[in-house]
């Protein structure tokens, strides 16, 4: 089995992790629900992408923006990693084909918006796929006290109910104590490990 550091070097070309990426990845690999508060540009996506290589199955990524999903899928595909995004741009037939590929095509990542997740058709299709990790990006959107509240984020707990034994990693660059508590509550995180890196930037000043 490859180590996280080996995967980092192989696919991303970095020789070491940025703190606390290594600790977050270890938490996820230990099957723990994890909340990661990292600044923008702090390498949040690596924290769920690397565990996917070590475990079998697919990581389901909830993301609020189509452009963000498409960008991450494109970057993974450039590395030779199979990933797909279910967006509003796909027809029903496209979605059926996508799930066939997810079942039989050795895909590792499925990106989906929280709105798309509300579809009962999508929910039933997900149950046919080997989901081994749920990653919730921009997790502050789940809180009414967050700066970017999206009511559809409140329905993500459907995945917890359908896959009660898989770990969840929630990621955000900004969360007050109140927002952090909302994330834990609404995602039904259990015995959660919380990692927070300072947002202070040495090269920025008011």
């Amino acid at each position: 089995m490859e180590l996280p550091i080996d995967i980092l070097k192989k696919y991303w070309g970095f020789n070491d992790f940025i703190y606390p990426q290594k600790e977050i990845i270890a938490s996820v690999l230990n099957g723990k629900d994890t909340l990661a508060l990292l600044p923008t540009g702090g390498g949040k996506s690596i924290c769920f992408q690397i565990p996917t290589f070590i475990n079998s199955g697919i990581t389901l990524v909830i993301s609020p923006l189509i452009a963000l999903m498409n960008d991450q899928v494109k970057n993974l595909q450039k590395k030779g990693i199979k990933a797909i995004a279910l967006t509003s741009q796909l027809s029903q037939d496209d979605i059926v084909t996508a799930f066939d590929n997810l079942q039989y095509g050795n895909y590792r990542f499925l990106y989906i918006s929280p709105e798309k997740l509300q579809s009962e058709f999508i929910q039933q299709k997900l149950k046919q796929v080997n989901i081994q990790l749920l990653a919730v990006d921009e997790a502050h959107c789940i809180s009414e006290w967050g700066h970017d509240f999206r009511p559809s984020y409140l329905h993500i707990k459907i995945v917890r109910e359908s896959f009660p034994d898989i770990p969840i990693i929630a990621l955000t660059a900004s969360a007050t104590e109140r927002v952090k508590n909302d994330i834990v509550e609404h995602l039904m995180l259990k015995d959660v490990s919380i990692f927070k890196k300072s947002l202070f930037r040495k090269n920025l000043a008011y």
Side-chain angles (χ1 to χ4, degrees):
M1 183 178 74
E2 284 187 290
L3 297 173
I5 190 65
D6 298 328
I7 295 167
L8 182 73
K9 291 175 181 177
K10 180 178 178 180
Y11 289 100
W12 281 271
F14 299 129
N15 290 319
D16 210 348
F17 289 105
I18 302 169
Y19 178 81
Q21 287 176 328
K22 183 178 178 181
E23 290 76 10
I24 293 169
I25 290 167
S27 175
V28 173
L29 289 174
N30 285 328
K32 295 203 67 175
D33 287 346
T34 305
L35 173 56
L37 297 100
L38 301 177
T40 301
K44 290 189 290 293
S45 58
I46 280 177
C47 296
F48 63 81
Q49 288 173 345
I50 285 183
T52 305
F53 287 94
I54 295 173
N55 294 325
S56 60
I58 292 167
T59 290
L60 174 63
V61 186
I62 310 293
S63 182
L65 300 172
I66 290 176
L68 191 62
M69 287 192 278
N70 287 339
D71 185 57
Q72 289 207 14
V73 167
K74 190 185 298 181
N75 287 333
L76 287 166
Q77 289 173 342
K78 283 179 182 176
K79 294 177 170 64
I81 302 159
K82 288 191 171 185
I84 195 165
L86 298 186
T87 68
S88 55
Q89 299 163 336
L90 299 182
S91 68
Q92 187 88 339
D93 287 343
D94 290 334
I95 291 171
V96 170
T97 301
F99 274 102
D100 285 343
N101 289 334
L102 287 162
Q103 277 186 277
Y104 307 112
N106 199 30
Y107 276 73
R108 303 311 311 274
F109 295 92
L110 168 58
Y111 284 77
I112 191 170
S113 71
E115 287 80 13
K116 206 77 171 167
L117 188 62
Q118 293 181 64
S119 159
E120 288 189 18
F121 175 72
I122 296 286
Q123 292 169 25
Q124 291 305 314
K125 281 292 185 182
L126 283 174
K127 292 176 182 177
Q128 301 169 15
V129 178
N130 181 24
I131 305 294
Q132 54 89 20
L133 174 65
L134 171 63
V136 181
D137 204 6
E138 308 295 343
H140 60 270
C141 293
I142 206 168
S143 174
E144 290 184 52
W145 304 100
H147 63 77
D148 207 11
F149 178 53
R150 291 270 286 270
S152 54
Y153 262 70
L154 296 171
H155 296 278
I156 297 174
K157 62 184 179 183
I158 291 166
V159 180
R160 167 112 285 177
E161 292 161 356
S162 299
F163 301 92
D165 298 323
I166 69 167
I168 296 176
I169 176 170
L171 308 111
T172 179
S174 57
T176 62
E177 193 67 23
R178 192 176 226 171
V179 171
K180 186 178 73 175
N181 291 337
D182 277 354
I183 292 169
V184 172
E185 178 185 349
H186 294 314
L187 288 178
M188 301 165 66
L189 302 183
K190 302 172 289 189
D191 190 26
V192 60
S193 295
I194 298 175
F195 299 88
K196 183 175 182 178
K197 185 175 183 179
S198 171
L199 304 182
F200 176 74
R201 306 274 187 152
K202 293 179 180 177
N203 60 328
L204 295 178
Y206 287 109

